[in-house]
Amino acid sequence: MNDMDQLVDIENSTQSKKIFLDQDIYEQEQERIFGRCWLFLAHESLIPKAGDFMTTTMGEDPVIVVRQKDGSTKAFINSCTHRGNKVCSAESGNARSFVCNYHGWVFGSDGSLIDVPLNERCYHGTIDKSTHGLPGIRVESYRGFLFGCFDQDAPPLDEFLGDFGWYLDTWMVGAGGGVELIGPAMKSILNCNWKVPAENFVGDAYHVGWTHAAALEVLGGELAGLAGNQADMPYDDLGLQFTTRFGHGFGVIRHAAASIHVKREGYDKFLRDTLPAVAENLGQARADLYDGHWNCTTFPNCSFLYGTNTFKVWHPRGPGQIEVWTYTIVHKDMDEETKKEIVKQAIRSFGTAGTLESDDGDNMTNCTHTNQGRMTRKGRMDATMGIRHEGHHPVYPGIVGSSFIGETSYRGFYRFYKEAMSAESWGDIRAQDNHWDEAWKDNGFWEAKAGKGE
Ligand code: UNU
Ligand code: FES
Ligand code: FE
């Protein structure tokens, strides 16, 4: 086992450079993180009708997700129980059954084995079809977002998302109409460790004014002021950063939702028109965040930007590579023209060849592979920005950092990463994690800030 105390230092908020490239650590992540956590599979809107399916992966495990006749959704491992071939090689479609290409075993949309060629003649009745179905995976939905989990002992999805779900409700259901994902996913390969983009989206607003400086200046809008990290910006008033139980986190830049959209009238109008409903349905605390730009990661590998409306899964492919899958988030109630415009803007910014996407790519790759050197890998990485300028907030749940530029949610991400990697089971995780926010208890940060009238 890897020495997690050495690899991730919670108190000082540093990590070993090894976590981005070591094969052993990667294997342990597959077992203990991807084998245990809820992983994003699909949005209901992508498979609306009975028999609609799509294929994806959970970690490196191939999975089929299928809409059932009764409207529920099931997921199975996409590997034939005969000799292991892929049962479905299409990316998506509609099917009554899945026929393995190798010897012709037939599986129903519910994963059961329904036909075996030459069953009577050559197996002589020895194959028990009822025990040869495709292994099923737990599936649960949060506001239409379908997640799968391999671990029967994991808490329900609702509990796994916890306070993070409370925040996501702001735009997932706050206005009443819900959101959907527009696919098919754009897919690309990036030679980086999955945690580099996951930590970036969980809480790196620091890079925005630097890595994306040129793009922001060209795009204009509310974020243009961040370009070049000018010292006189009121960073503390511009937003907040949050981390919640089980490693999820996000940052919000106030009033900047539509900032990356060039043709933004439709989106701006939608936000203006729906804001009162959010306040009425969910209260002022969340309404105050509704027209903000959000960068988020659902632990471990599903990240999205609300506002820029890009939705991504970082599928691990070994320690030094990922497949990036990118969808667009839209509100179901938007008119078709606004939806189309948002899809275009999302493609231009964070699509496969998007301007901001390519800004990030080099950094992600280099963060992973520069650590390869024998001496280099002995070094440590720092995630201390805003340490102790964070704590329990009088209004917002979780731990709240005082500025959207800070590494509060990095600390939350790696705190849970370490816990999941150290634990033998969900029982262990729960036992330790029941007190996940203890380190911040009574630190009085927000009370002191309020006391000073800030
Ligand atoms: O690059 C990002 N993750 C980002 C861009 C975050 C916030 C605003 C714009
Ligand atoms: Fe952040 Fe170099 S300045 S990685
Ligand atoms: Fe970026």
Side-chain angles (χ1 to χ4, degrees):
M1 265 311 115
N2 299 290
D3 176 6
M4 289 312 299
D5 279 331
Q6 202 281 323
L7 293 172
V8 178
D9 178 339
I10 301 297
E11 198 167 322
N12 298 301
S13 202
T14 65
Q15 300 82 31
S16 161
K17 293 193 169 194
K18 273 194 204 151
I19 63 169
F20 288 160
L21 61 98
D22 186 275
Q23 186 72 38
D24 267 5
I25 295 172
Y26 178 78
E27 298 298 338
Q28 193 172 330
E29 289 171 354
Q30 292 309 302
E31 281 294 330
R32 296 196 158 184
I33 291 176
F34 290 87
R36 282 179 184 160
C37 291
W38 286 97
L39 305 174
F40 176 77
L41 294 176
H43 190 274
E44 308 250 15
S45 57
L46 298 166
I47 45 169
K49 298 191 301 293
D52 284 354
F53 70 86
M54 54 170 280
T55 52
T56 180
T57 60
M58 292 170 60
E60 295 199 49
D61 290 298
V63 167
I64 317 179
V65 191
V66 197
R67 177 76 72 177
Q68 305 294 299
K69 286 203 189 93
D70 66 0
S72 67
T73 310
K74 290 195 170 166
F76 328 103
I77 294 194
N78 185 6
S79 168
C80 185
T81 45
H82 181 220
R83 302 305 308 159
N85 193 26
K86 234 182 199 182
V87 165
C88 176
S89 40
E91 294 189 6
S92 63
N94 183 282
R96 265 175 296 180
S97 57
F98 300 99
V99 183
C100 181
N101 212 37
Y102 196 178
H103 308 93
W105 283 24
V106 182
F107 299 87
S109 336
D110 62 352
S112 59
L113 177 58
I114 53 181
D115 193 34
V116 174
L118 300 180
N119 191 10
E120 302 299 317
R121 297 291 304 281
C122 300
Y123 277 107
H124 312 288
T126 57
I127 277 279
D128 180 357
K129 287 202 283 242
S130 73
T131 59
H132 284 74
L134 300 175
I137 295 157
R138 281 175 79 182
V139 181
E140 287 178 22
S141 166
Y142 190 81
R143 311 302 191 200
F145 291 78
L146 299 164
F147 287 74
C149 183
F150 288 120
D151 194 332
Q152 296 307 319
D153 297 328
L157 178 62
D158 250 359
E159 190 187 328
F160 179 71
L161 295 176
D163 289 337
F164 189 60
W166 183 88
Y167 284 107
L168 296 182
D169 282 354
T170 306
W171 44 270
M172 282 192 176
V173 293
V179 296
E180 60 188 0
L181 291 187
I182 300 204
M186 293 175 265
K187 299 180 181 178
S188 57
I189 300 276
L190 200 55
N191 288 316
C192 71
N193 184 271
W194 66 271
K195 295 187 292 306
V196 183
E199 67 168 40
N200 175 278
F201 276 66
V202 87
D204 192 330
Y206 188 22
H207 84 293
V208 175
W210 193 257
T211 297
H212 299 303
L216 295 185
E217 289 210 31
V218 170
L219 289 167
E222 291 86 343
L223 295 181
L226 298 177
N229 292 334
Q230 298 126 28
D232 57 355
M233 290 289 283
Y235 292 104
D236 263 14
D237 304 328
L238 290 176
L240 293 168
Q241 190 170 97
F242 307 81
T243 183
T244 63
R245 190 176 182 184
F246 301 134
H248 318 301
F250 66 106
V252 176
I253 310 174
R254 292 188 191 284
H255 313 303
S259 58
I260 276 175
H261 302 252
V262 178
K263 278 179 71 180
R264 54 187 279 180
E265 298 75 18
Y267 192 20
D268 275 331
K269 179 169 178 345
F270 181 86
L271 292 173
R272 260 196 324 273
D273 290 351
T274 48
L275 180 60
V278 179
E280 183 165 333
N281 294 332
L282 302 179
Q284 199 54 43
R286 282 178 283 180
D288 286 344
L289 304 176
Y290 178 66
D291 66 350
H293 184 285
W294 300 39
N295 56 276
C296 320
T297 293
T298 305
F299 191 91
N301 68 327
C302 172
S303 300
F304 35 92
L305 304 176
Y306 169 73
T308 299
N309 290 346
T310 190
F311 186 99
K312 290 173 177 284
V313 187
W314 322 109
H315 292 286
R317 298 291 182 260
Q321 193 174 76
I322 59 172
E323 251 181 68
V324 184
W325 289 25
T326 305
Y327 299 94
T328 304
I329 316 169
V330 295
H331 289 267
K332 285 185 195 162
D333 290 350
M334 283 170 161
D335 59 76
E336 286 308 310
E337 199 177 328
T338 303
K339 285 187 188 178
K340 269 199 199 134
E341 204 50 56
I342 287 179
V343 170
K344 271 196 239 163
Q345 298 294 340
I347 291 173
R348 283 188 201 126
S349 55
F350 282 97
T352 302
T355 44
L356 286 94
E357 181 80 354
S358 30
D359 287 341
D360 285 323
D362 260 359
N363 293 333
M364 308 261 164
T365 304
N366 287 330
C367 278
T368 304
H369 295 281
T370 41
N371 294 324
Q372 214 86 36
R374 291 204 70 77
M375 292 299 143
T376 312
R377 74 174 74 163
K378 291 177 188 157
R380 296 194 74 78
M381 301 183 289
D382 186 287
T384 55
M385 191 185 238
I387 200 165
R388 287 180 283 279
H389 284 243
E390 60 197 13
H392 286 277
H393 190 276
V395 175
Y396 291 114
I399 297 300
V400 184
S402 66
S403 167
F404 73 102
I405 302 188
E407 285 159 347
T408 300
S409 42
Y410 270 61
R411 286 184 276 285
F413 182 93
Y414 282 107
R415 191 202 56 74
F416 184 65
Y417 173 83
K418 178 175 186 173
E419 213 168 82
M421 288 286 276
S422 310
E424 295 292 336
S425 66
W426 261 104
D428 268 12
I429 297 178
R430 280 169 181 283
Q432 290 184 44
D433 207 72
N434 279 335
H435 307 287
W436 73 277
D437 53 354
E438 204 142 74
W440 291 277
K441 264 233 153 47
D442 307 322
N443 78 350
F445 171 73
W446 283 100
E447 290 80 355
K449 205 168 155 71
K452 276 188 266 163
E454 284 178 35

